[in-house]
Short mmCIF file of all heavy atoms in Angstrom, two decimals:
data_model
loop_
_atom_site.label_atom_id
_atom_site.label_comp_id
_atom_site.label_asym_id
_atom_site.label_seq_id
_atom_site.Cartn_x
_atom_site.Cartn_y
_atom_site.Cartn_z
N GLN A 738 47.57 108.56 124.10
CA GLN A 738 46.44 108.59 123.18
C GLN A 738 46.46 109.81 122.29
O GLN A 738 46.10 109.74 121.12
CB GLN A 738 45.12 108.54 123.96
CG GLN A 738 44.86 107.19 124.59
CD GLN A 738 43.68 107.22 125.55
OE1 GLN A 738 43.23 108.28 125.98
NE2 GLN A 738 43.17 106.04 125.88
N GLU A 759 56.95 114.67 117.84
CA GLU A 759 56.86 116.01 117.24
C GLU A 759 55.56 116.70 117.68
O GLU A 759 55.55 117.88 117.97
CB GLU A 759 56.92 115.91 115.71
CG GLU A 759 58.28 115.54 115.17
CD GLU A 759 59.34 116.57 115.51
OE1 GLU A 759 59.06 117.79 115.45
OE2 GLU A 759 60.47 116.15 115.84
N PRO A 786 43.46 116.26 146.91
CA PRO A 786 44.86 116.20 146.45
C PRO A 786 44.96 115.42 145.14
O PRO A 786 44.08 114.61 144.81
CB PRO A 786 45.57 115.46 147.57
CG PRO A 786 44.51 114.69 148.27
CD PRO A 786 43.23 115.48 148.10
N GLY A 802 63.61 114.89 132.02
CA GLY A 802 64.68 115.52 132.79
C GLY A 802 66.03 115.29 132.12
O GLY A 802 66.85 116.20 132.01
#
Side-chain angles (χ1 to χ4, degrees):
Q738 289 171 344
E759 289 297 320

